[in-house]
Amino acid sequence: MRCKVAFSCGHTGYMQIGGDERARAGRIRWMEENGICPKCYTKRLNEERSEGCDEVTMPYSEYKMYHEGCETKKGSYHKKNKTVTVFIPRRLYDQDEK
Ligand SMILES: [Zn+2]
């Protein structure tokens, strides 16, 4: 069932919530106290992933070939240009500088 939820981040959105009425009410209450909306979730996830990393936009094929172990920025894939933004850890470069 599609339920309206006022998330703890201050945004309001809709979520697909299953179960009976009591279970749904409990889930909604939990989301309102602890949950954040998908947009804020993506933002937070990207902030966590980018910590200590350089954000580099590159062709998807290059990412697949050289950087597959790195995290990508959620939602950054560009269908038309076939590029993706990848978080490259800075320490990979720092090691050579001394
Ligand atoms: Zn939000």
Side-chain angles (χ1 to χ4, degrees), residues 5-13 32 35-41 43:
V5 181
F7 294 98
S8 66
C9 60
H11 297 120
T12 304
E32 290 185 342
I36 56 173
C37 73
K39 220 173 155 177
C40 286
Y41 176 75
K43 203 177 152 227

Side-chain angles (χ1 to χ4, degrees), residues 13-32:
Y14 288 90
M15 275 193 74
Q16 201 66 35
I17 300 174
D20 58 25
E21 202 171 321
R22 230 186 102 160
R24 282 201 309 271
R27 180 100 177 107
I28 290 172
R29 204 180 315 121
W30 190 91
M31 288 308 292
E32 290 185 342

